[in-house]
Amino acid sequence: MDIRNVVVAGGGVLGSQIAFQIAYKGFHVTVWLRSEGSIGRAKPKFERLKGIYLNTLEAMKTNPAAYCRGLAPSPDLSAEQIDELKANVGRAFDGIVYTTSYEEAAKDADLVIESIAENPQDKIAFYTELAKHLPEHTIVATNSSTMLPSAFAEYTGRPEKYLALHFANEIWRNNTAEIMGHPGTGAEAYDETVAFAEAIGMIPLKLRKEQPGYILNSMLVPFLSAAEALLATDVADVETIDKTWMLATGAPLGPFRILDIVGLTTAYNIGSMDPRSKDPNTPQGKIAAMLKQYIDEGKTGINAGEGFYKYGK
Amino acid sequence: MDIRNVVVAGGGVLGSQIAFQIAYKGFHVTVWLRSEGSIGRAKPKFERLKGIYLNTLEAMKTNPAAYCRGLAPSPDLSAEQIDELKANVGRAFDGIVYTTSYEEAAKDADLVIESIAENPQDKIAFYTELAKHLPEHTIVATNSSTMLPSAFAEYTGRPEKYLALHFANEIWRNNTAEIMGHPGTGAEAYDETVAFAEAIGMIPLKLRKEQPGYILNSMLVPFLSAAEALLATDVADVETIDKTWMLATGAPLGPFRILDIVGLTTAYNIGSMDPRSKDPNTPQGKIAAMLKQYIDEGKTGINAGEGFYKYGK
């Protein structure tokens, strides 16, 4: 694998996590942002991540449950080894370069990970401008959750080196990376990206072809929708539905605990893509109305302290 | 709760488990079967259940992992307490009465649980004949997985005392009971059935209204179908799909491990209810073709030693 210099475009929740994890694993990271204002908004996210990484590593010295797979390949670490990892956190934080310049970001890039807003026009504009400055060998990957790489391949100037590399939230703990090409992605760029995912502590999950929602959301969305429908049509209550799933499958969380983590706004936005959600008499319409009521009451999930369940502060 | 005498109609996999568990919990159980031949085929199932219950209880003396929730409300049991439970197994086995007579089965019945073949005509014939002999107070419950109680209520002669009481396979371990009325079910019969479910060691899961597939299958079927579609359309392989689900949700089993337990024939039969499965170009049609190929090769799941995975004998 020849990747050393990585550009992450976007400093949102996921973008900042991706950039920080890659820097933590020893790569040189440049964060590209649209404006100085974006840099100002992104930097506190990196401060916070530094704290999370340091605190988690410190906790791993005494508490086996604190172990996060993205931080080290094995939980069996001496205090000295953990202190070395903590030094990596400091180096990662200090080493990240921020820029608003396409030229500066692109010039030495071996890999660019696009994690900007989920807006096709923004993505097309970004790829088109980026392509003017990138070296020929650079691989470009999108972290988009909702759009397919085939929609943007032509704008990258390197369709055979363009693909999706999709991360989960809390990357240091949920260390999966779904890797998905479009029909024109070359095997070399695909394999290189798989190797890179492993090098930054991720478990690569390989898709053989394009699939809206990748692997996880292709299963999670219909499962969660079915649970939402049972509640929205008043078949059973939250606790009964969760209990049924947990007892029958041995899962640690039922669908409404998962929805509280995903966030009800995200669930509402996904549900609203279904045209049936506009008709209040369909199950989809009843789900939308139910989620909207929770959201209007501020019950958007675990981050808000309340969703389908209440959470202690 | 006034239930003492329970009739279980049907001696199939579920019927025999239901009858044995109820007898184990100290109720008087009559198994109604259609013919002497059915009795001959059912009895070895009861012999086998007796062995499973005795062996599991014995194992619980030394191995905490052997504990099954249906056998005792808590795993903290002395060897003497377990020996008492083993005596219950013997009493249960010896006490079960087998009959082909509607009159004999019905005369003292407080509760009848219908677990006969999933054929509407057979169920209508059974309920119609049974109704001629039942005392007025008897509650009648169906264990049907695929049909709604409202389809049969009128034939029972007691719609307000008719409902669904739906068990899971391996009832002594998977001790859930989904309880679902039809619009005419009375609150008294519903509550009495909930109390009975608890008395036989089940965790009652209450549905507020009729729902095809109850709670569990309403979520499990779309989830498993989504996983099947990812495989049948060649998006990813079995191991990757299972790994994705387990890593992301913390579940102990991925969808293909679950399908191997459910059985591929059952999955195929459920999928075949969808008219789109007749068109080989739809995802549903591709799923049906894929499942049929596994089934034709004898790979029907864990009970056959192979399904999506291979199992040691």
Side-chain angles (χ1 to χ4, degrees):
Chain A
M1 196 199 53
D2 298 324
I3 296 171
R4 293 305 312 154
N5 298 319
V6 180
V7 174
V8 177
V13 172
L14 257 292
S16 58
Q17 292 182 17
I18 295 165
F20 199 82
Q21 175 71 19
I22 295 172
Y24 169 71
K25 287 290 183 173
F27 293 81
H28 182 254
V29 173
T30 301
V31 175
W32 179 90
L33 293 159
R34 192 168 299 284
S35 66
E36 291 299 329
S38 312
I39 293 179
R41 286 189 295 276
K43 281 195 171 167
K45 296 198 185 85
F46 286 88
E47 286 276 6
R48 187 171 161 266
L49 288 167
K50 180 185 172 184
I52 290 173
Y53 276 57
L54 289 174
N55 291 340
T56 306
L57 285 164
E58 187 60 32
M60 280 165 55
K61 286 184 182 171
T62 51
N63 176 9
Y67 171 63
C68 288
R69 287 187 306 255
L71 297 184
S74 150
D76 299 322
L77 296 167
S78 66
E80 290 69 31
Q81 288 171 312
I82 288 178
D83 285 333
E84 282 172 36
L85 295 174
K86 288 176 74 175
N88 293 351
V89 174
R91 265 195 299 275
F93 183 77
D94 295 338
I96 292 171
V97 172
Y98 301 85
T99 182
T100 60
S101 157
Y102 281 97
E103 202 176 344
E104 188 190 338
K107 67 176 188 297
D108 300 320
D110 301 313
L111 171 66
V112 176
I113 299 174
E114 174 271 302
S115 187
I116 67 173
E118 290 285 78
N119 176 320
Q121 293 315 316
D122 286 357
K123 289 192 196 283
I124 289 170
F126 171 77
Y127 289 130
T128 305
E129 189 59 33
L130 180 74
K132 297 178 190 165
H133 304 280
L134 275 186
E136 201 186 325
H137 77 278
T138 314
I139 295 172
V140 178
T142 178
N143 180 51
S144 175
S145 292
T146 58
M147 296 170 206
L148 295 175
S150 58
F152 304 105
E154 61 173 308
Y155 303 103
T156 64
R158 61 198 67 239
E160 77 289 354
K161 297 196 188 77
Y162 179 61
L163 76 176
L165 174 61
H166 183 239
F167 295 92
N169 193 19
E170 306 206 332
I171 184 174
W172 61 91
R173 186 200 316 273
N174 305 318
N175 66 332
T176 55
E178 294 184 284
I179 298 158
M180 176 175 87
H182 63 91
T185 304
E188 206 179 326
Y190 191 96
D191 293 344
E192 184 103 345
T193 306
V194 171
F196 172 75
E198 284 174 341
I200 60 166
M202 299 295 113
I203 299 171
L205 300 168
K206 299 198 232 178
L207 283 83
R208 294 192 187 121
K209 57 169 72 158
E210 278 199 332
Q211 165 71 22
Y214 301 83
I215 299 173
L216 178 59
N217 284 342
S218 293
M219 297 187 279
L220 199 56
V221 170
F223 162 61
L224 295 176
S225 299
E228 292 162 9
L230 289 171
L231 182 64
T233 60
D234 200 33
V235 170
D237 59 34
V238 163
E239 291 77 12
T240 300
I241 297 168
D242 272 3
K243 190 164 67 172
T244 302
W245 185 256
M246 291 161 70
L247 286 168
T249 68
L253 301 175
F256 292 104
R257 288 274 177 204
I258 295 176
L259 280 162
D260 276 353
I261 295 169
V262 168
L264 276 66
T265 309
T266 301
Y268 178 80
N269 290 340
I270 292 172
S272 299
M273 291 179 200
D274 187 329
R276 292 171 295 184
S277 68
K278 310 298 174 234
D279 178 349
N281 297 313
T282 63
Q284 291 79 12
K286 287 178 182 157
I287 290 171
M290 173 188 77
L291 289 172
K292 186 159 185 321
Q293 193 177 336
Y294 276 90
I295 293 165
D296 287 349
E297 291 170 7
K299 300 174 185 170
T300 55
I302 197 165
N303 284 338
E306 186 168 358
F308 293 106
Y309 294 92
K310 285 194 180 191
Y311 300 88
K313 278 291 176 194
Chain B
M1 196 200 53
D2 297 325
I3 296 171
R4 293 305 313 155
N5 298 320
V6 180
V7 174
V8 176
V13 171
L14 258 292
S16 58
Q17 292 181 18
I18 296 165
F20 199 83
Q21 175 71 19
I22 296 171
Y24 169 72
K25 288 290 183 174
F27 292 81
H28 182 252
V29 173
T30 300
V31 176
W32 179 90
L33 293 158
R34 192 167 298 285
S35 66
E36 291 298 328
S38 313
I39 294 179
R41 286 188 296 277
K43 282 196 168 167
K45 297 198 183 86
F46 286 89
E47 285 277 4
R48 187 170 161 268
L49 288 167
K50 179 184 174 186
I52 290 173
Y53 276 57
L54 289 174
N55 290 339
T56 306
L57 286 163
E58 187 60 32
M60 280 165 55
K61 286 184 182 172
T62 52
N63 175 10
Y67 172 63
C68 289
R69 289 187 306 255
L71 297 184
S74 149
D76 300 322
L77 296 167
S78 66
E80 291 68 33
Q81 288 171 313
I82 288 179
D83 284 333
E84 282 172 35
L85 295 175
K86 288 176 74 175
N88 292 351
V89 174
R91 264 195 300 275
F93 182 77
D94 294 338
I96 292 171
V97 172
Y98 301 84
T99 183
T100 60
S101 157
Y102 281 95
E103 202 174 345
E104 190 190 337
K107 65 176 190 298
D108 300 321
D110 301 313
L111 170 67
V112 176
I113 300 175
E114 173 271 302
S115 186
I116 67 173
E118 290 285 77
N119 176 321
Q121 293 315 318
D122 286 357
K123 288 192 195 285
I124 289 171
F126 171 78
Y127 289 131
T128 306
E129 188 60 34
L130 180 74
K132 296 178 189 165
H133 305 279
L134 277 185
E136 201 185 327
H137 77 279
T138 313
I139 295 172
V140 178
T142 178
N143 181 50
S144 176
S145 292
T146 58
M147 295 172 207
L148 295 175
S150 57
F152 304 106
E154 62 174 306
Y155 303 104
T156 64
R158 62 199 66 238
E160 77 290 353
K161 295 195 188 79
Y162 179 62
L163 77 176
L165 174 62
H166 183 240
F167 295 92
N169 193 19
E170 306 206 333
I171 184 173
W172 62 92
R173 184 197 319 272
N174 305 319
N175 66 331
T176 56
E178 294 184 283
I179 298 157
M180 176 175 86
H182 64 93
T185 303
E188 206 178 328
Y190 190 96
D191 293 344
E192 183 103 345
T193 305
V194 171
F196 172 75
E198 284 173 339
I200 60 166
M202 300 293 113
I203 299 171
L205 299 168
K206 299 198 232 179
L207 283 82
R208 294 193 186 119
K209 57 168 75 157
E210 278 199 331
Q211 165 71 22
Y214 301 84
I215 299 172
L216 177 59
N217 284 342
S218 294
M219 297 186 280
L220 199 57
V221 170
F223 162 61
L224 295 176
S225 299
E228 292 162 9
L230 289 171
L231 182 64
T233 60
D234 200 33
V235 170
D237 60 33
V238 163
E239 291 77 13
T240 300
I241 297 168
D242 272 3
K243 191 164 66 173
T244 302
W245 184 256
M246 292 161 70
L247 286 169
T249 68
L253 300 175
F256 292 104
R257 288 273 177 205
I258 295 176
L259 279 162
D260 276 352
I261 295 168
V262 168
L264 276 67
T265 308
T266 300
Y268 178 79
N269 290 340
I270 292 171
S272 300
M273 291 179 199
D274 186 329
R276 292 170 296 183
S277 68
K278 310 298 174 234
D279 178 348
N281 297 313
T282 62
Q284 292 77 14
K286 287 177 183 160
I287 290 171
M290 173 187 77
L291 290 172
K292 187 162 186 317
Q293 192 177 335
Y294 275 90
I295 293 165
D296 287 349
E297 292 169 7
K299 300 173 184 170
T300 55
I302 197 164
N303 284 339
E306 186 169 357
F308 293 106
Y309 294 92
K310 284 193 179 190
Y311 300 87
K313 278 291 176 195

